[in-house]
Amino acid sequence: MILPIVAYGDSILKKKAEEISVGTSLSELIADMYETMYNAQGIGLAAPQIGKSIRLFITDGTVLKDEPQLQDFKKVFINPTILEETGQLWTMEEGCLSIPNIRENVSRKENVRIRYYDENWNLHEKTYTGMAARIIQHEYDHLEGILFVDYLSPLKKRMLKNKLLNISKGAISVEYRMRFPMASKARV
Ligand code: NI
C-alpha cells in the first residue's frame, strides 16, 4: 500500500523517533514503505516521513548503478545507532521526499559506523562509506528530527523560505501522494 509522505512543516519531522521493541513484527510496514519509496523514486525513506515516529528507515541505492558500493545497498535499519563518523567532509546535493523540488549542497563525513537490527531482528555493526554512508546519515537524521535544510546557512534558508512555505501548504506540483501540514481544508 502506498502511504502519503509527510511534507515539510509537519511537527513529526522535527521529533526524535522512539525505539521499537525488539521482535515487533514490521514486515507489512516495511513492505508498504518500500512501495511508497519506489513510487516516489526515492533511495531512502524514514518512518517519520510516513507519519510514524519510530526508529526505522529503509534504503535502496541499487538504482545508482555507477556506484559499485551500492549494488547490494537495499537495506532495512531498525533501532540504528551511529557509533562513529570519520573521514573527510564531502559535499553533495541532497534532496528529500518530504521536501520536493529543493536540492542543496550538504557536507557530511565520508564514513559512518552504525549498529542496527535488520528486518529479521539480527543485530549488525558495520561501516559504510561514500554514497551509502550519505544515505544512512540523511535517513538517520530523520529519526533525530533533523532535515537536510537544517544544515543550510541562515541566508540560504531565508532564500528558500517561500518555497518551503509552499511545500507545507501543498502549493506545489508533486508526482506522489503527500500529506501537507498547512493544506487548507478547502483543498481536502
Ligand atoms: Ni529525507
Side-chain angles (χ1 to χ4, degrees):
M1 185 174 58
I2 293 171
L3 306 166
I5 293 177
V6 171
Y8 177 87
D10 194 307
S11 59
I12 201 164
L13 297 176
K14 301 302 291 173
K15 262 174 71 178
K16 191 176 156 91
E18 300 281 337
E19 289 269 321
I20 300 170
S21 307
V22 174
T24 302
S25 169
L26 297 167
S27 51
E28 200 173 318
L29 176 63
I30 289 166
D32 287 347
M33 284 177 67
Y34 269 110
E35 197 180 343
T36 301
M37 184 181 82
Y38 291 140
N39 178 63
Q41 293 178 356
I43 53 176
L45 182 69
Q49 293 182 276
I50 48 99
K52 291 200 181 297
S53 192
I54 55 173
R55 299 186 75 78
L56 159 67
F57 66 82
I58 61 167
T59 69
D60 188 349
T62 57
V63 285
L64 305 171
K65 290 184 178 59
D66 46 339
E67 295 265 347
Q69 268 209 324
L70 294 182
Q71 270 168 19
D72 64 346
F73 193 62
K74 180 183 175 185
K75 292 196 187 294
V76 175
F77 295 80
I78 302 169
N79 291 348
T81 306
I82 286 185
L83 303 170
E84 192 182 28
E85 289 176 283
T86 55
Q88 301 273 348
L89 282 171
W90 66 292
T91 302
M92 206 190 109
E93 240 184 28
E94 290 188 20
C96 179
L97 294 178
S98 294
I99 314 174
N101 311 329
I102 293 182
R103 297 189 69 83
E104 294 293 339
N105 280 331
V106 177
S107 294
R108 299 189 190 268
K109 285 193 175 173
E110 269 180 306
N111 315 305
V112 63
R113 183 148 190 85
I114 188 168
R115 187 192 296 145
Y116 64 97
Y117 289 95
D118 65 20
E119 63 274 34
N120 301 312
W121 287 104
N122 294 313
L123 191 61
H124 300 268
E125 195 176 310
K126 224 179 144 187
T127 300
Y128 290 93
T129 186
M131 213 26 219
R134 181 170 291 266
I135 297 170
I136 288 170
Q137 289 158 327
H138 177 113
E139 299 310 326
Y140 187 88
D141 273 353
H142 277 299
L143 307 186
E144 297 294 302
I146 298 166
L147 300 170
F148 81 89
V149 290
D150 295 334
Y151 295 117
L152 303 178
S153 68
L155 174 64
K156 193 109 224 176
K157 194 120 192 229
R158 213 154 47 240
M159 284 161 60
L160 289 173
K161 204 179 162 200
N162 285 329
K163 266 185 143 178
L164 290 168
L165 190 61
N166 283 337
I167 292 172
S168 299
K169 288 177 177 167
I172 49 162
S173 134
V174 61
E175 300 287 311
Y176 45 90
R177 219 175 131 205
M178 292 193 83
R179 189 177 95 193
F180 302 102
M182 290 170 66
S184 71
K185 297 279 184 290
R187 288 175 57 92
V188 190

